[in-house]
Amino acid sequence: MRYAVIIEPLRVPLIPEVIALMELGARYITARTYSDYWLYAELFSSTCRVALDESRVVGVALGFRSQDAPDDLYIQDVMTHPDHRRRGVTRELVDELQKQAWLMGCRRLYLTSEPGNSAAHKTWETLGFANVHGDRIFDGVSVITDFKGPGKTRAVYELILGASAARPTSTHTPLT
């Protein structure tokens, strides 16, 4: 039996639950401020999604379409509550971002992960993302030194959405 969650845009009333969930990701994810999540809910809700189990937030994926490279959608954070992992929540969230990206005309999803985050590496490869060639290998993963600034070495993953990519089956339309 498939685990069912509802994926919907981030809304302002859900912000306290999102912050509490993100705080569970300490070490690899830093919870942002209420104001940051307000901005995401008000201006980027088509690509900032939450997974709800009944009315409880059990997952979050925050993505942003690049203004400088509009073919790209960058996924900033993905977090699933520890009690709901390995049930497809992350896949559902990323699939929804992929659908939204496709509808917006994007051709690439990409994200970064800290070196040593082997669970993230496995997740991104399982979801079809490719580890982008970097300038060195760390624990078997290609990383790019200083990718996010001095001392911010990251593994970079990308998923190309091209003519061969499956068109989204969602009936959702992008929010504008």
Side-chain angles (χ1 to χ4, degrees), residues 67-89:
Q67 292 181 347
D68 296 328
D71 284 350
D72 288 348
L73 188 130
Y74 176 72
I75 301 174
Q76 172 65 34
D77 289 320
V78 179
M79 179 66 188
T80 298
H81 191 282
D83 294 343
H84 296 267
R85 291 186 181 150
R86 305 196 59 78
R87 298 183 186 183
V89 174

Side-chain angles (χ1 to χ4, degrees), residues 5-6 23 27 60 73 82 90 98 100 114-115 140 143 149 175:
V5 292
I6 296 171
E23 287 172 347
R27 181 170 181 210
V60 178
L73 188 130
T90 296
Q98 182 179 348
Q100 291 301 319
E114 291 190 28
V143 298
L175 302 175

Side-chain angles (χ1 to χ4, degrees), residues 1-5 7 87-93 95 99:
M1 184 162 112
R2 187 178 168 114
Y3 180 66
V5 292
I7 306 298
R87 298 183 186 183
V89 174
T90 296
R91 179 180 297 279
E92 292 284 333
L93 286 162
D95 283 353
K99 291 172 191 172

Side-chain angles (χ1 to χ4, degrees), residues 12 15 42 49 53 93 96 123 149 151 156 169:
V12 171
I15 292 173
E42 291 294 314
R49 298 298 176 127
D53 181 4
L93 286 162
E96 183 61 27
T123 298
V156 179
T169 57

Side-chain angles (χ1 to χ4, degrees), residues 121-169:
H121 175 75
K122 183 177 178 183
T123 298
W124 305 133
E125 287 195 333
T126 297
L127 295 178
F129 285 78
N131 181 210
V132 174
H133 179 73
D135 54 21
R136 65 189 171 106
I137 302 296
F138 182 91
D139 284 346
V141 177
S142 187
V143 298
I144 300 173
T145 304
D146 299 337
F147 184 81
K148 285 186 141 182
K152 302 290 183 181
T153 297
R154 296 291 186 267
V156 179
Y157 299 87
E158 68 179 3
L159 179 67
I160 304 300
L161 309 175
S164 63
R167 283 184 101 39
T169 57

